[in-house]
Amino acid sequence: EIVLTQSPDFQSVTPKEKVTITCRASQSIGSSLHWYQQKPDQSPKLLIKFASQSFSGVPSRFSGSGSGTDFTLTINSLEAEDAATYYCHQSRSLPWTFGQGTKVEIK
Amino acid sequence: EVQLVESGGGLVQPGGSLRLSCAASGFTFSNYWMHWVRQAPGKGLVWASRINPDGSDTSHADSVKGRFTISRDNAKNTFYLQMNSLRVEDTAVYYCTRCSDFVCYDYWGQGTLVTVSS
């Protein structure tokens, strides 16, 4: 099973600040890495697919990068509505797995 | 508009059974792999099961293998998760979602809560 480890687990950030979340895979997964945003009591929402491709309708302040084992989600100029938990997810091999989540709080 | 609507959740005793349904609309259901992802209260997302477009290929996480069965009815645009021998640790919100060759998990249902408790 491929283990995804996100860091940090929690981040408290001021609006307009830049946020960087990393996701490390226990083995190479190429670009089969996706990012989701989940707000309390809501379903997850796809932000980034295949490491760096923005999903339709996602604000341009969200971007992704990386390949192999190391990946990054960047939120440029954080807005209050971005308070949420963010998950990475690999679709390279079964069982598909998720990172443990990174909770982003607005100061 | 793409919609996925889960139903069938509820309270069940350990050892009991439930069948979840996910009704799809707004897209060509028979072209998509369909998945169940679950989330225990206050915890992260965990992949549970998937089924291919014609229903001939299924996979399950080890934690549910032998107890859960995924199936689909393309004529009804619906797929299912039959959950038997339920355990307290199966308590979670169960989400249905879809996957194609180009993008996975772009749409999710609202989730249905399964509570296993005596």
Side-chain angles (χ1 to χ4, degrees):
Chain A
E1 173 174 317
I2 296 174
V3 177
L4 298 180
T5 304
Q6 291 182 228
S7 61
D9 291 332
F10 176 83
Q11 196 163 11
S12 184
V13 186
T14 304
K16 297 191 176 160
E17 204 173 328
K18 178 179 174 179
V19 173
T20 300
I21 299 169
T22 65
C23 178
R24 175 162 288 177
S26 59
Q27 63 190 77
S28 179
I29 56 173
S31 295
S32 299
L33 190 285
H34 322 283
W35 291 97
Y36 304 85
Q37 176 194 69
Q38 187 180 32
K39 297 181 180 180
D41 298 320
Q42 292 187 17
S43 305
K45 289 183 168 60
L46 177 64
L47 297 175
I48 304 291
K49 59 186 176 96
F50 297 109
S52 61
Q53 299 175 20
S54 293
F55 183 58
S56 174
V58 173
S60 58
R61 62 182 180 275
F62 292 92
S63 64
S65 64
S67 67
T69 59
D70 293 299
F71 301 87
T72 301
L73 173 70
T74 301
I75 311 173
N76 282 302
S77 193
L78 188 82
E79 297 191 7
E81 66 185 30
D82 300 333
T85 300
Y86 294 84
Y87 294 94
C88 59
H89 159 236
Q90 68 83 18
S91 60
R92 179 60 177 251
S93 68
L94 290 178
W96 288 9
T97 49
F98 292 84
Q100 81 277 16
T102 295
K103 186 173 183 178
V104 174
E105 174 194 89
I106 309 297
K107 281 182 183 172
Chain B
E1 179 195 2
V2 172
Q3 283 199 320
L4 296 168
V5 180
E6 301 98 338
S7 60
L11 174 64
V12 61
Q13 291 188 336
S17 298
L18 276 179
R19 188 175 85 152
L20 306 184
S21 300
C22 176
S25 60
F27 65 100
T28 305
F29 179 70
S30 58
N31 287 349
Y32 284 79
W33 289 74
M34 300 302 297
H35 292 234
W36 289 99
V37 174
R38 65 183 185 175
Q39 186 171 35
K43 303 296 185 183
L45 300 166
V46 178
W47 173 80
S49 303
R50 74 170 187 179
I51 187 166
N52 73 332
D54 68 9
S56 62
D57 182 6
T58 63
S59 301
H60 299 274
D62 284 348
S63 58
V64 307
K65 202 173 290 183
R67 301 186 299 121
F68 290 11
T69 303
I70 190 171
S71 63
R72 67 191 294 160
D73 185 339
N74 285 348
K76 294 183 178 179
N77 286 351
T78 302
F79 77 115
Y80 308 94
L81 188 67
Q82 178 66 43
M83 304 186 296
N84 298 331
S85 303
L86 281 161
R87 304 168 180 168
V88 170
E89 56 265 34
D90 294 319
T91 295
V93 173
Y94 286 72
Y95 295 103
C96 62
T97 183
R98 70 175 194 173
C99 190
S100 73
D101 289 342
F102 307 105
V103 62
C104 282
Y105 297 5
D106 54 342
Y107 288 91
W108 297 64
Q110 83 287 356
T112 188
L113 176 62
V114 172
T115 303
V116 185
S117 174
S118 54

